[in-house]
């Protein structure tokens, strides 16, 4: 077993993306009876999974909210959570940043429409067998010393699909109730309309928001400024179209409103590291989007 662990560590150390100082997510925590912990994050949502024991948790107007063994609870960003172990407790705490509602394959419209018919239970939600299996698999990775955030991102995506396939709409709403705010259609509105405008100011006006309100909502939902997000989307879309030989350069120029070839060339050199033809032909093999 020692040789196996040594081999694993050596494999990780040669990975250019491996960082031994990276704070592994998820985290496995052991708490003694009466022990308390506090969590505050402005930018990260969390899920807490109780493997053994019981805790009570406080946040906002909720006091002594019980979460028991084999239950889970969603901890939305921009909140302070304090929890206390009632008995000796073990738990998994996951944290992740996401620009879309966690179960992203389910339309926000459906969830919001049904939210009014679902009562927030104010307690832990039972973990079904599929979720328990995934959580214990993540724990086995932690125990093995695997500190690769790429692997855990894949597990989070798997988790979202499990919610979709093993939980009803009503159960998903109960889990993520506190993340369904007063403007749950905002993400869909942005994705449906951002290509119709040239600037974030125009998008704000198109969607009926003041610029200030729009920028605040955008930051909350996408964790980026509207300008940077729109620029990054444009760069990535142009890159994908340049990689498709079936799409002519002239068509891309027209779609993204480049007046001249020189302007298009300059844009691609600045953001992608090469001219459109270099990128399309693979002559520039080190280009990256900024």
């Amino acid at each position: 077993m020692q040789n196996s662990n040594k081999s694993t560590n050596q494999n990780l150390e040669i990975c250019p993306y491996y960082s031994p100082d990276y704070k592994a997510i998820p985290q496995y925590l052991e708490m003694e009876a009466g022990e308390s912990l506090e969590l505050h994050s402005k930018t990260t949502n969390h899920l807490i999974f109780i493997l053994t024991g019981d805790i009570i948790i406080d946040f906002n107007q909720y006091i002594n909210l019980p979460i028991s063994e084999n239950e889970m609870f969603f901890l939305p960003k921009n909140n302070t959570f304090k929890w206390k172990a009632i008995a000796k407790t073990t738990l998994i705490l996951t944290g992740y940043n996401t620009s879309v509602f966690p179960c992203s394959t389910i339309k926000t419209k459906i969830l919001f429409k049904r939210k009014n018919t679902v009562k927030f239970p104010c307690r832990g939600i039972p973990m079904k067998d599929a979720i328990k299996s995934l959580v214990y698999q993540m724990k086995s990775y932690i125990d093995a010393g695997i500190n690769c955030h790429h692997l855990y991102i894949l597990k989070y995506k798997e988790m979202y699909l499990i919610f979709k396939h093993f939980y009803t709409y009503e159960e998903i709403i109960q889990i993520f109730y506190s993340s369904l705010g007063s403007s749950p259609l905002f993400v869909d509105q942005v994705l449906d309309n951002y290509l119709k405008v040239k600037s974030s100011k125009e998008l704000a006006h198109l969607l009926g928001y003041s610029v200030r309100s729009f920028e605040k909502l955008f930051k909350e939902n996408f964790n980026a400024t509207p300008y940077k997000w729109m620029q990054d989307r444009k760069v990535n879309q142009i890159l994908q179209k340049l990689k498709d030989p079936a799409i002519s350069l002239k068509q891309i120029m027209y779609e993204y409103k480049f007046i001249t070839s020189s302007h298009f060339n300059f844009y691609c050199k600045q953001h992608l590291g090469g001219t459109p033809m270099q990128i399309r032909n693979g002559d520039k093999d080190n280009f990256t989007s900024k």
Side-chain angles (χ1 to χ4, degrees):
M1 181 64 70
Q2 289 180 346
N3 290 336
S4 175
N5 287 338
K6 183 177 180 180
S7 176
T8 300
N9 291 334
Q10 287 175 344
N11 290 336
L12 287 172
E13 288 169 2
I14 64 174
C15 172
Y17 301 105
Y18 173 70
S19 170
D21 297 324
Y22 184 85
K23 189 174 182 179
I25 297 175
Q27 299 175 58
Y28 173 70
L29 302 175
E30 295 180 349
M31 300 179 66
E32 297 295 330
E35 184 178 354
S36 298
L37 289 174
E38 182 173 316
L39 172 71
H40 178 71
S41 177
K42 293 184 178 181
T43 60
T44 303
N45 298 305
H46 289 79
L47 276 162
I48 191 169
F49 301 92
I50 306 300
L51 306 182
T52 62
D54 301 271
I55 67 171
I56 53 175
I57 194 166
D58 298 345
F59 76 103
N60 289 341
Q61 73 271 33
Y62 302 107
I63 305 296
N64 293 337
L65 183 71
I67 309 176
S68 302
E69 184 172 315
N70 292 323
E71 290 186 340
M72 59 186 169
F73 194 75
F74 177 69
L75 311 178
K77 61 186 178 182
N78 290 319
N79 284 283
T80 297
F81 297 89
K82 299 179 181 178
W83 65 84
K84 180 179 180 180
I86 303 303
K88 187 172 182 178
T89 299
T90 61
L91 60 91
I92 294 286
L93 179 68
T94 70
Y96 54 91
N97 295 317
T98 179
S99 61
V100 185
F101 178 72
C103 216
S104 57
T105 55
I106 296 178
K107 280 291 185 180
T108 310
K109 297 175 184 177
I110 299 174
L111 295 172
F112 181 67
K113 185 176 181 180
R114 297 194 183 186
K115 180 184 177 183
N116 293 333
T117 66
V118 176
K119 184 177 180 180
F120 183 47
C122 298
R123 57 174 174 76
I125 306 295
M127 288 191 283
K128 296 188 177 182
D129 288 342
I131 284 291
K132 283 197 285 186
S133 176
L134 182 142
V135 170
Y136 276 97
Q137 187 176 46
M138 289 194 293
K139 181 181 181 299
S140 71
Y141 295 155
I142 298 171
D143 292 341
I146 297 177
N147 207 22
C148 173
H149 68 282
H150 301 293
L151 175 61
Y152 294 121
I153 289 172
L154 291 175
K155 301 311 292 182
Y156 297 150
K157 291 181 178 179
E158 181 182 350
M159 185 187 301
Y160 306 156
L161 292 174
I162 289 175
F163 284 134
K164 175 184 176 182
H165 292 292
F166 289 87
Y167 286 77
T168 65
Y169 283 140
E170 286 71 22
E171 289 171 331
I172 294 171
I173 292 170
Q174 286 181 337
I175 296 168
F176 299 108
Y177 192 94
S178 55
S179 72
L180 289 170
S182 58
S183 301
L185 305 184
F186 183 78
V187 170
D188 282 348
Q189 289 177 331
V190 169
L191 295 176
D192 289 343
N193 291 282
Y194 78 95
L195 290 175
K196 301 175 183 177
V197 298
K198 295 180 180 180
S199 67
S200 59
K201 184 177 180 180
E202 289 182 11
L203 183 56
H205 291 161
L206 178 63
L207 300 184
Y209 294 95
S210 69
V211 173
R212 184 174 181 179
S213 296
F214 176 77
E215 289 178 346
K216 180 180 178 181
L217 271 174
F218 200 98
K219 182 68 174 178
E220 290 175 356
N221 284 275
F222 291 91
N223 197 33
T225 65
Y227 176 80
K228 185 178 187 307
W229 183 88
M230 292 176 71
Q231 288 298 311
D232 288 345
R233 295 281 288 202
K234 181 179 178 180
V235 168
N236 289 329
Q237 287 171 359
I238 290 175
L239 176 60
Q240 294 307 312
K241 291 180 186 296
L242 286 172
K243 289 181 177 181
D244 186 351
I247 304 175
S248 69
L249 299 183
K250 188 173 292 186
Q251 183 179 342
I252 300 173
M253 286 180 57
Y254 176 80
E255 181 178 349
Y256 291 94
K257 300 178 176 58
F258 290 101
I259 306 294
T260 64
S261 297
S262 60
H263 182 204
F264 188 35
N265 284 348
F266 177 79
Y267 179 90
C268 290
K269 285 181 179 179
Q270 183 180 28
H271 294 281
L272 296 172
T275 67
M277 285 304 299
Q278 284 178 322
I279 295 167
R280 170 152 291 180
N281 295 332
D283 295 336
K284 186 70 176 176
D285 53 14
N286 288 321
F287 60 83
T288 56
S289 59
K290 294 182 178 181

